[in-house]
Amino acid sequence: MITQAEAIEIARAYAAQSRRGWDEHFHHATVITLYGEPVWMIATTDVEYSTELPWLMTHLPNPRYYYISMVEAKCIAVGHRVNQYQRVR
């Protein structure tokens, strides 16, 4: 089983590799069951906080969810809303 900190690092690396969003200032991990196995659901946003961004993007960025398998220690799904995800291979 992997720790919360390890799951966050795996999600961060997957976001960079797949060119998906990651916010260094906001990310939160929750344990859930997905596809019958325990996973860390890592919630973040697709844009980093910046004083140069327009108000709407600064305060209302798009959510991103990364589902990290506790057993395999890899990202198994991604999504934009809770409970709406797409399996990654």
Side-chain angles (χ1 to χ4, degrees):
M1 296 288 194
I2 63 171
T3 66
Q4 177 179 346
E6 291 170 324
I8 290 170
E9 287 305 314
I10 292 167
R12 180 183 285 121
Y14 183 82
Q17 174 191 3
S18 63
R19 298 182 184 207
R20 295 176 184 264
W22 183 266
D23 185 346
E24 289 295 332
H25 299 283
F26 169 75
H27 42 272
H28 177 74
T30 306
V31 175
I32 66 167
T33 300
L34 185 67
Y35 304 125
E37 68 177 284
V39 301
W40 285 102
M41 181 181 75
I42 311 296
T44 188
T45 59
D46 68 353
V47 73
E48 293 184 22
Y49 176 82
S50 171
T51 57
E52 297 174 9
L53 293 174
W55 180 89
L56 182 63
M57 290 305 294
T58 301
H59 296 287
L60 299 171
N62 295 316
R64 296 281 182 184
Y65 296 93
Y66 299 95
Y67 300 87
I68 310 301
S69 169
M70 289 184 178
V71 178
E72 298 177 56
K74 68 177 190 176
C75 184
I76 61 170
V78 295
H80 294 287
R81 300 196 190 287
V82 175
N83 297 324
Q84 291 183 358
Y85 46 83
Q86 178 181 11
R87 190 172 197 126
V88 294
R89 300 189 189 264

